[in-house]
């Protein structure tokens, strides 16, 4: 079990702020505790402050305010090479004039480790990524995926307990990226290291992480497990950023007992679960995942409100049907249905009724 209490955190950001120009803050009062052995991903759109956080943890940038703790010690003043942190960055290239073996041996030499121990550690690290037979090659003689494996081995070669990765797979094609995601996850599990990973790719974050910190505009919007982020987004930014999402604007009409009804701007009433809205009359944006919407009458949850929809487009995708609907005046409502035996296909122009269980529609503050 991964520890998450701030008292026994392995890495902690405490009230950390960062400004590059002395005026605007790109990281705003960041508080984040990462447990030993945890795989934590910082996920967010470009410019949201993820890399800045990672650079402060690595020691290449200084915090304007606040403390960064590693294993109980304040490391604000500790230079990068004394932090004992392994790093894999997309642009943190291998040395082109050195062989694979020399690239891996280098961080060990810097740490004053003797020749025979160096050789043993280099072999072990290359074995971990199944690249020992490439020890005498130069980086230019390797494919992109192989180079990234070597960069990973180089980050692991001195047995760091913490490894930072910033978009390490960004330059690889989709298939290789997915393969490497599993390889990194497997190494994380087998070595028991703590990983802090930065990506803007939500699929990557959901696949690999124990917890994900969703960043926007220098702040963490939500810190949660992948399933909680997807199933229980705290606000409309997270609902929109993670996975596919339908949103319906309206006003809370009745609320109580963990349920509410929402009158949409076009007049229909729907069922939802209030998340960060508490008052009758409050504006809300209701968020519903495409796979949680039902249109077959016999499958509709008992007592659910249903609303009218018109089929705009029906796409057969093999295992799934993806249907785009006009709902409450918008043409962008998407539902996904499993292709089960006897499932009826819908046709454009067809009028249907849709509904859902109230717990699957989250009434969020539109912000
Ligand atoms: P992300 O990793 O989420 O894309 P960054 O941490 O790279 O975000 O950037 C956050 C903000 O800080 C952006 O507005 C970016 O332009 C700015 N920024 C990043 N690095 C520097 C720098 N070295 N000097 C000035 N501004 C920077």
């Amino acid at each position: 079990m991964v520890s998450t209490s701030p008292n026994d955190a392995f890495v902690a950001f405490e009230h950390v702020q960062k400004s590059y120009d002395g005026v605007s803050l790109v990281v705003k009062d960041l508080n984040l505790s990462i447990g030993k052995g945890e795989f934590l991903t910082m996920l967010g759109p470009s410019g949201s402050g993820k890399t800045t956080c990672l650079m402060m943890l690595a020691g290449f940038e200084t915090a304007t305010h606040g403390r960064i703790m590693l294993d109980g010690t304040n490391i604000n003043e500790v230079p990068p090479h004394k932090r004992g942190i392994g790093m894999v960055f997309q642009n943190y290239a291998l040395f082109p004039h050195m062989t694979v073996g020399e690239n891996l041996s280098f961080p060990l030499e810097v740490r004053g480790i003797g020749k025979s121990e160096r050789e043993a550690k280099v072999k072990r690290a290359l074995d971990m990524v199944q690249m020992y037979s490439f020890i005498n090659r130069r980086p230019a003689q390797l494919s992109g995926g192989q180079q990234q494996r070597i960069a990973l081995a180089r980050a692991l070669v001195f047995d760091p307990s913490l490894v930072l990765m910033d978009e390490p797979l960004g330059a690889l094609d989709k298939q290789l990226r997915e393969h490497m995601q599993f390889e990194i996850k497997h190494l994380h599990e087998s070595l028991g290291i703590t990983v802090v990973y930065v990506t803007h790719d939500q699929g990557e974050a959901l696949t690999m992480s124990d917890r994900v910190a969703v960043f926007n505009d220098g702040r963490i919007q939500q810190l949660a497990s992948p399933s909680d982020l997807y199933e229980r987004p705290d606000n409309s930014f997270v609902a929109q950023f993670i996975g596919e999402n339908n949103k319906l604007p309206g006003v809370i009409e009745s609320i109580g007992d963990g349920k509410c009804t929402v009158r949409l701007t076009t007049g229909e009433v729907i069922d939802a679960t209030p998340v960060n809205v508490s008052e009758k009359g409050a504006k809300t944006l209701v968020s519903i995942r495409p796979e949680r919407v039902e249109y077959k009458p016999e499958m509709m949850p008992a007592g659910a409100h249903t609303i009218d929809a018109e089929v705009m487009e029906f796409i057969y995708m093999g295992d799934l049907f993806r249907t785009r609907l006009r709902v409450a005046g918008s043409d962008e409502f998407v539902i996904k249905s499993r292709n089960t035996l006897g499932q009826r296909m819908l046709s454009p122009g067809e009028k249907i009724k849709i509904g859902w269980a109230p717990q699957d529609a989250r009434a969020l503050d539109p912000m």
Side-chain angles (χ1 to χ4, degrees), residues 255-302:
I255 184 164
D257 227 8
K259 287 186 193 163
C260 63
T261 57
V262 174
R263 182 168 293 275
L264 302 182
T265 41
T266 41
E268 300 91 334
V269 174
I270 60 168
D271 301 295
T273 298
V275 178
N276 55 355
V277 284
S278 53
E279 282 176 10
K280 189 172 166 191
K283 283 191 174 167
T284 181
L285 204 54
V286 179
S287 154
I288 313 160
R289 299 293 182 196
E291 68 278 14
R292 297 298 163 86
V293 180
E294 193 49 72
Y295 67 90
K296 295 183 287 299
E298 69 279 12
M299 300 292 284
M300 208 63 78

Side-chain angles (χ1 to χ4, degrees), residues 182-248:
F182 285 108
E183 229 166 86
I184 291 174
K185 185 73 194 140
H186 182 73
L187 278 173
H188 161 254
E189 280 161 9
S190 60
L191 300 176
I193 47 175
T194 307
V195 176
V196 183
Y197 195 97
V198 163
T199 183
H200 66 273
D201 179 334
Q202 45 132 334
E204 193 158 293
L206 296 183
T207 311
M208 302 177 80
S209 320
D210 294 317
R211 286 189 305 161
V212 179
V214 181
F215 276 68
N216 190 37
D217 193 24
R219 289 186 198 282
I220 295 181
Q221 301 292 320
Q222 189 169 356
L223 170 65
S225 68
S227 62
D228 273 354
L229 278 186
Y230 187 81
E231 308 282 347
R232 284 176 282 283
D234 275 349
N235 59 48
S236 51
F237 176 82
V238 176
Q240 204 56 30
F241 193 74
I242 310 280
E244 205 170 3
N245 182 46
N246 291 301
K247 42 184 189 183
L248 295 171

Side-chain angles (χ1 to χ4, degrees), residues 20-21 26-27 44-53 61 166 198 215:
Y20 287 104
D21 59 7
V26 300
V27 175
S46 175
S48 57
K50 312 176 297 288
T51 296
T52 299
C53 289
E61 289 292 349
D166 191 350
V198 163
F215 276 68

Side-chain angles (χ1 to χ4, degrees), residues 11 13 118 123 130 149 192 245 269 274 292 330 339 343:
V11 174
F13 290 84
R118 282 204 309 265
K123 177 169 188 322
Q130 289 120 41
R149 278 215 181 92
N245 182 46
V269 174
R292 297 298 163 86
S330 160
N339 182 1
Q343 176 90 315

